[in-house]
Amino acid sequence: MSEVLDRLADLLEQRKGADPQSSYVAKLYAKGIDTILKKVGEEAAETIIAAKDGDTEKIIYETADLWFHSMVMLAHVGLRPQDVLKELARREGLSGLEEKASRPTE
């Protein structure tokens, strides 16, 4: 399934040079990080509502929207899904408490 993420990441990179009038993603890029983050927040809220309602199809649909907009955010800041997958792999096998304890304190 990571091939899907790679193909989508490649497409998102291509959209960086697209006309904002002809591409939703190019329009998000043109509006900047604040607009992209607002969309991520909106999609996160919609995912929460879908999960609370317990509608499986809506949960899948809204989670796909959340992942998509999160990937737009990653691409905007020069990251790819592989960067996140590497971090998940690093955490694999760690308990949540161990992982949290290993984070730098602020």
Side-chain angles (χ1 to χ4, degrees):
M1 279 308 206
S2 67
E3 305 87 36
V4 172
L5 296 177
D6 288 336
R7 286 193 306 270
L8 181 54
D10 291 343
L11 181 64
L12 294 175
E13 281 299 315
Q14 292 170 8
R15 293 295 190 262
K16 285 183 177 180
D19 178 4
Q21 299 295 339
S22 65
S23 166
Y24 171 72
V25 173
K27 185 184 290 188
L28 286 175
Y29 288 143
K31 289 184 176 184
I33 191 68
D34 288 344
T35 297
I36 294 167
L37 295 176
K38 182 178 176 190
K39 283 303 296 180
V40 171
E42 287 173 13
E43 298 304 340
E46 290 172 6
T47 302
I48 291 166
I49 292 166
K52 195 95 162 110
D53 291 345
D55 183 331
T56 304
E57 287 184 31
K58 283 179 88 174
I59 293 168
I60 293 167
Y61 183 87
E62 295 301 344
T63 301
D65 280 351
L66 175 58
W67 287 12
F68 175 82
H69 287 90
S70 295
M71 288 182 63
V72 172
M73 179 269 306
L74 288 171
H76 186 74
V77 299
L79 297 170
R80 292 187 57 93
Q82 195 61 33
D83 298 307
V84 178
L85 293 174
K86 284 179 191 174
E87 175 60 15
L88 289 172
R90 184 192 70 78
R91 295 180 187 187
E92 190 175 16
L94 289 178
S95 80
L97 296 175
E98 288 174 322
E99 191 284 322
K100 190 170 183 176
S102 73
R103 296 179 190 170
T105 56
E106 294 179 27

